Amino acid sequence: TYLLYLAFTRDGVKLPATLAIYLLATVTCSLVAFVLYGVDKRRAIKDQPRISERTLHVFGGCGGWPGAHLARKIFRHKTQKVSFRIVFWIIVAAHLIIIGYGMLFGWWVDAIRALLFA
């Protein structure tokens, strides 16, 4: 988030647009996913209508996988159902490929330069 703050508020900080968009989506969707997992866990305990697995996966797929992973650990939610876990880890793998692609094309070098020379 600090990188995004620098990119949008300081002159001379240049981040590739794709990296800025990816970071913004990851931060925003992670927060939303974390909250949704918590709400779904509470609803499961109280036997109330649940948040669909599709919705949880959509936010994970849009970049919220770090928040979703943290929520799964903290709330101990969605850790037993094998089909859910398979889709979740496919989403994580896809994002790791995106991150690898970004590293290959220098996104992270630009990000480090922005942090060091801001």
Side-chain angles (χ1 to χ4, degrees):
T1 55
Y2 182 66
L3 260 177
L4 288 173
Y5 172 77
L6 288 177
F8 292 114
T9 60
R10 290 197 125 169
D11 292 334
V13 175
K14 303 290 184 206
L15 280 181
T18 50
L19 174 59
I21 291 167
Y22 184 78
L23 290 174
L24 186 60
T26 299
V27 169
T28 304
C29 290
S30 285
L31 291 171
V32 172
F34 185 86
V35 169
L36 288 177
Y37 273 74
V39 169
D40 192 47
K41 176 68 175 195
R42 181 177 298 160
R43 287 181 179 180
I45 291 169
K46 292 183 176 186
D47 202 27
Q48 294 177 338
R50 306 279 302 277
I51 295 171
S52 73
E53 290 183 356
R54 178 179 294 178
T55 299
L56 297 175
H57 284 315
V58 164
F59 279 98
C62 290
W65 62 273
H69 183 62
L70 183 63
R72 288 177 70 234
K73 297 297 182 185
I74 289 175
F75 301 126
R76 291 189 220 159
H77 189 51
K78 296 293 186 186
T79 59
Q80 298 298 314
K81 190 173 180 183
V82 174
S83 61
F84 187 89
R85 288 186 354 220
I86 288 170
V87 174
F88 177 80
W89 287 111
I90 288 171
I91 289 169
V92 171
H95 280 276
L96 292 177
I97 290 169
I98 291 168
I99 291 167
Y101 176 84
M103 291 175 79
L104 183 67
F105 288 96
W107 280 0
W108 308 109
V109 172
D110 293 338
I112 291 169
R113 281 189 193 132
L115 282 174
L116 293 177
F117 303 111

